[in-house]
Each structure stands twice: as structure tokens, then as C-alpha cells.
Amino acid sequence: MGKRQIPDPPNLKKYGVPFYSVAWIPQHLIKSHQIQTAHDSDDSSNSDHNSAPSTEPESEPAAKAESEPASVTTGNYLLFTGGGGAGRSGIPNALVIAHFDIASNSLSSQPVFKLGTDSELPYRMALHSQGDGLICAMETPKVCRWFDWDYQNKSSEIHKLSLKMSDKVLTQLEDVGQQLALAFNNDGTALAAGGEDGNIRVFKWPSMEVILNESNAHSSVKDLHFSSDGKLLASLGSGGPCRVWDVSSSMVLSSLPNENRETFSSCRFSQTNDKTQVLYMAAMTDKGGSILTWNTQTWERMGSKHIIRDAISAFNVSADGKILACGTPSGDIVIVNSTNMRIQTMIKKAHLGIVTALAFSPDSRALASVSMDSSARVTIIEEKKTNGGLSLWIAVFIILLAIAAYFHQQGLEK
């Protein structure tokens, strides 16, 4: 008899699209609109109670809406982007919205909304924090597209969350080649883009006035990240040092060297428990996947911690700075406590393919991960009790004392 196939856990779903990017949709955006997801049905408010309106917008024939049979008005929503590219593989290119229920630790079995992008592959994405929409860097063709939130039934109390391609043309990002990194600052007033050609551009948003334009920043840009106050921008290339830019002056504030043939892969600004501002770097060292830390006041390297043998293909830091997360080419997810830089949780084969992106929920309670195997996963962050091990040793010590006292008493009686 063959082995029975073990079903996927409810927090892991496949949506038929190889994913490259993931983001949590801001809660304030969701709370400002009641969202209803249900099976395609009559839009009439007097329809059968087991049916609800379709999420497919009439103005976007390229969008395909799929819904859960239940209706939700609040919760956690995620946005995924990816696809199979321009070839005739039959694998769609799309933006996908899914719902995550933290109480049951489950992702919606079908997308809440799915917008097809025909032959254009949305390779990189940056979601505007204040709800303006999102920008996608397409891999084919090499252009940037803007997408708007599209609220249906605006006259009703019930709104359906969906997306549509905007008429807005980002002229400053036309004919500039493939963009491999996109990032908004926290308040959404600046947009950074890093190209395959090594060019870094920073614009005021939404005016798209150029703040920084450096054509020789790197041989090819791999990652970009703004500091929490938006004053600094860290950039990584395919080789060489990490550069830290003063956004207002467009000057390089510091160049952080890669020592001993380290290869940097991702960068994130954050803070430690004592509020020290730091810059984390995921890197491949001679030991394997490691996390490096720099003090952002002195720009001195604070430490280097080897995490795993495998490379780190995706990296992110929780909003509260307490947790670091790594994804690997083997599909593993590693959750690290930033205080002691020790592994808190490791999920082997969380995905069957390379982990391409990670995103923490705004409240730092959950971690979303996506993969080339078309899967999305949400992992709830469990708080580890620090006194558990100590209590066990105390109990063992008391038992040993009791045994010693017993044998001592037996010896006295003899």
C-alpha cells in the first residue's frame, strides 16, 4: 500500500501562482471599509442568505475573483504577487488577496480577490502604508505599474476589497530597465527604486519629484530599506559593500564593508530592546547563512551570528524589533530572537521550494512567507517562556536532594 498523503496544514495554501512578494494590507485600510467575501452571486441585498456579491470588478475583465463561502468584515488580509512570466507555460501572472484568520490559524482556501496581469509578471512590489495603492515592478516587460484599491458598492455599507490597474503613468520609471527593489518610507512620502543596472532613484510621493538619482550606486541593486524616520536609506548590490544614504542630502553617509568574502543579501533597519538603532544584514559567510549587526550611530559592526548552514534567500524583521526571520532555498523558515540571536523556532520544509519573501504582520504576531512553489504560509509567533528551563532544573535539584536525604537517613538507621 502506498503512503497516505498528509494534507497541508490550514495555514498553508497554494494559489496556483509562483510568488515573489508578500505584504500585509494595512488594518486602517480594512477598518475604513467593511469587506465582504463570498461566492459569486446576485448583487441584490435581498439575495439568499447563503449567497453574496462577487468580488470581480466589471471594469477589469483581466481580474478573476474567487471567494470563500463565509462573509467577513474584519481581519487580516495579505497581498501576494507573482506568476509564470511571459512564456506559454499556462501559469498565470497575478496579484492575489487572501484572508488569514488568526483565531483558527488558517488562510482562506481560495483567494479573496485575484487580478490577472496577462503576460506581465509582477516581480517586485511596494505597498503604500497610507492606502494610496501599490507599485509593481514587472519582469516582462521591464516597466513599473501602479495599482489602485477598487472599492465596489461605494453607496452601500458593504464594500468589497479589490484592485485595478491605474491610469496613472509613472513617467520617471519608464524606460529605466528592470527594477529589482522597491520601498516606501514609513509615512509614505518617499519611494525608492533600485535597478538591475545599479541605479538608485528616490522620489517624493506622490509628486515623483526626484530626491536622489545615483547611476553608479552598485553593479546591480538587490535590496533597499528606509530607516524608521525616513532619513536614511540602506542599499545592497550584487557584490561589494552596503551603502547608507542620507536621503535629504543625497550623500553616502557610510559604506559598510563585507569582510572575509561575505555576500550580503538583505538589509533591514530596526532597534534592539534598549532602543539602540541598528542595521541588520543577512549574509552568506564561510560558515553559512548569518546575520550581521551595525550600530547606526557609530556605524561600527556590533556582531556577526551564524544562523544556518544554508543560504538566506529571504529576510525580515518584526515591527517591534524582537524577532528576525530567515527563509532558505530549501524551503525552511527560521525565527530568531533578536535579544540573544538564538533560534526560537525552525520550520523545516515550510515550503517545497525556495522562500522568496517574508513579511511580519504590523502587530508582530504573525509571519507570512511565500515561495516559488505557489504556496503562501502564515506562522503565528509563539512567545517563549524564559523561566521554563530554570523551573525544570529546580525540580530536578529538589528530587536529587530528597533522594540523597533518604539514603542518608537509611545509613543512620543502620
Side-chain angles (χ1 to χ4, degrees):
M1 294 178 64
K3 291 183 179 179
R4 190 193 315 180
Q5 186 174 0
I6 300 174
D8 291 331
N11 64 328
L12 174 69
K13 300 295 180 185
K14 289 193 175 182
Y15 296 119
V17 178
F19 291 128
Y20 295 95
S21 298
V22 57
W24 294 79
I25 299 175
Q27 280 289 321
H28 66 82
L29 183 67
I30 297 167
K31 289 177 181 178
S32 64
H33 299 271
Q34 281 188 302
I35 304 165
Q36 183 177 30
T37 61
H39 281 307
D40 293 346
S41 65
D42 192 343
D43 281 343
S44 169
S45 60
N46 296 319
S47 61
D48 187 89
H49 70 278
N50 288 324
S51 301
S54 163
T55 58
E56 183 173 3
E58 296 178 2
S59 59
E60 270 310 326
K64 179 183 178 183
E66 301 174 48
S67 307
E68 285 289 278
S71 174
V72 292
T73 55
T74 59
N76 299 283
Y77 290 81
L78 297 108
L79 176 63
F80 315 107
T81 66
R88 297 182 178 180
S89 63
I91 301 173
N93 301 306
L95 286 75
V96 175
I97 298 175
H99 176 255
F100 177 69
D101 179 38
I102 197 166
S104 61
N105 189 22
S106 62
L107 275 165
S108 53
S109 59
Q110 297 293 330
V112 169
F113 181 80
K114 185 175 181 180
L115 177 66
T117 54
D118 297 326
S119 62
E120 297 187 3
L121 167 61
Y123 182 58
R124 290 289 182 261
M125 167 185 66
L127 191 68
H128 192 268
S129 60
Q130 303 305 309
D132 278 5
L134 63 132
I135 183 174
C136 285
M138 302 305 198
E139 195 265 341
T140 49
K142 301 181 188 302
V143 296
C144 288
R145 306 283 191 203
W146 183 258
F147 293 85
D148 290 318
W149 297 110
D150 184 23
Y151 297 103
Q152 305 294 302
N153 291 355
K154 292 183 179 180
S155 60
S156 168
E157 292 183 358
I158 300 297
H159 296 266
K160 296 171 288 184
L161 184 64
S162 59
L163 287 163
K164 63 180 179 181
M165 190 177 291
S166 175
D167 295 330
K168 181 186 299 183
V169 178
L170 303 174
T171 307
Q172 294 84 345
L173 288 173
E174 285 192 320
D175 302 320
V176 296
Q178 177 72 56
Q179 300 302 293
L180 299 179
L182 297 168
F184 280 106
N185 62 358
N186 281 350
D187 62 6
T189 58
L191 167 67
E196 189 175 33
D197 60 359
N199 194 308
I200 291 177
R201 298 172 176 87
V202 180
F203 308 95
K204 289 183 180 179
W205 184 264
S207 69
M208 291 297 285
E209 177 186 340
V210 176
I211 302 173
L212 185 154
N213 188 353
E214 178 57 54
S215 59
N216 297 308
H218 301 279
S219 57
S220 181
V221 180
K222 289 167 62 175
D223 199 15
L224 296 168
H225 196 249
F226 282 100
S227 59
S228 59
D229 59 9
K231 293 180 179 180
L232 305 178
L233 175 72
S235 66
L236 285 182
S238 55
C242 169
R243 290 186 172 178
V244 181
W245 305 81
D246 180 280
V247 175
S248 61
S249 67
S250 302
M251 300 296 291
V252 175
L253 190 64
S254 184
S255 185
L256 309 178
N258 48 339
E259 303 171 357
N260 303 318
R261 294 184 294 178
E262 298 164 339
T263 303
F264 299 152
S265 58
S266 299
C267 55
R268 290 293 182 272
F269 284 101
S270 187
Q271 64 179 18
T272 59
N273 285 343
D274 62 2
K275 305 302 180 182
T276 300
Q277 300 299 308
V278 296
L279 175 63
Y280 290 113
M281 209 94 67
M284 189 65 179
T285 68
D286 55 356
K287 295 181 179 179
S290 302
I291 298 175
L292 318 179
T293 312
W294 274 267
N295 184 303
T296 62
Q297 298 298 317
T298 63
W299 297 113
E300 293 180 354
R301 186 183 287 214
M302 297 170 62
S304 173
K305 177 66 175 179
H306 172 241
I307 303 297
I308 45 176
R309 290 184 180 180
D310 210 348
I312 297 175
S313 58
F315 177 70
N316 219 326
V317 183
S318 62
D320 60 13
K322 295 180 179 180
I323 302 294
L324 315 178
C326 306
T328 75
S330 303
D332 302 337
I333 293 175
V334 184
I335 296 172
V336 178
N337 185 310
S338 67
T339 302
N340 53 27
M341 297 300 284
R342 293 180 179 175
I343 294 176
Q344 179 171 306
T345 305
M346 175 176 278
I347 306 170
K348 300 290 288 184
K349 299 296 180 183
H351 299 270
L352 297 179
I354 180 174
V355 178
T356 50
L358 298 166
F360 281 95
S361 60
D363 61 6
S364 303
R365 294 177 61 197
L367 173 71
S369 55
V370 293
S371 171
M372 284 284 290
D373 70 356
S374 302
S375 67
R377 184 184 188 115
V378 177
T379 302
I380 294 177
I381 306 299
E382 302 287 349
E383 290 189 15
K384 299 293 183 180
K385 295 181 179 179
T386 57
N387 61 349
L390 180 62
S391 299
L392 177 62
W393 282 111
I394 292 174
V396 171
F397 181 68
I398 291 173
I399 291 172
L400 290 174
L401 281 179
I403 293 172
Y406 171 79
F407 282 107
H408 179 69
Q409 184 64 32
Q410 292 294 316
L412 292 177
E413 291 177 356
K414 290 179 181 180

